[in-house]
Amino acid sequence: MNSTAKTPSQLADELRGAAQDAADSTRNYAKNAVDATGQKVRQLRGEVEPTVEQIASRVQQAVQRGLEAASKTTSRAQERFGEAATVTTRYIADQPVRSVLIAAAAGAAITALIVLASRRSSDDY
């Protein structure tokens, strides 16, 4: 027999060793890929969290500004309604007959509109 020829047992051992080396290499590659992915996820999370916090802060500021604007608008509207009530009260006190006639005319106009609207709705059926 030739001294360079390997026995089936030796070939099997070499094949087993090569398979083990391949498995170890694959395992190391997978571990490195998982580690790199985890690191990238941590990096992205670190980048995204401040952005989300900034957006939440901006939304909160916008809501606060909206509430302040609504409050100012409400105050102005209350002032204007108060002024209108004062002017109306003064007009009624200064012109009582004319005020009653205007109120009667407005009531008649509203009644006429209601009657017309109710006739149209009953005609539709």
Side-chain angles (χ1 to χ4, degrees), residues 102-116:
I102 291 172
I110 292 171
T111 302
L113 290 173
I114 292 172
V115 168
L116 283 173

Side-chain angles (χ1 to χ4, degrees), residues 8-105:
S9 176
Q10 289 173 330
L11 289 173
D13 286 342
E14 285 181 11
L15 186 57
R16 199 174 304 121
Q20 184 63 40
D21 289 345
D24 289 344
S25 176
T26 302
R27 191 176 303 116
N28 286 335
Y29 178 79
K31 182 182 179 301
N32 290 338
V34 167
D35 289 345
T37 302
Q39 186 177 16
K40 187 65 176 176
V41 166
R42 284 188 294 279
Q43 177 187 356
L44 289 174
R45 183 182 297 151
E47 292 172 4
V48 169
E49 285 177 357
T51 303
V52 170
E53 289 176 16
Q54 289 173 350
I55 291 170
S57 175
R58 288 179 184 164
V59 168
Q60 186 177 10
Q61 290 171 357
V63 167
Q64 187 63 35
R65 284 192 304 268
L67 290 173
E68 289 170 2
S71 177
K72 288 178 184 177
T73 302
T74 300
S75 295
R76 279 191 232 130
Q78 287 174 341
E79 289 174 12
R80 297 259 165 90
F81 284 133
E83 292 169 3
T86 302
V87 168
T88 302
T89 302
R90 193 175 316 130
Y91 182 82
I92 291 171
D94 292 344
Q95 304 282 332
V97 174
R98 184 180 271 175
S99 300
V100 169
L101 292 174
I102 291 172

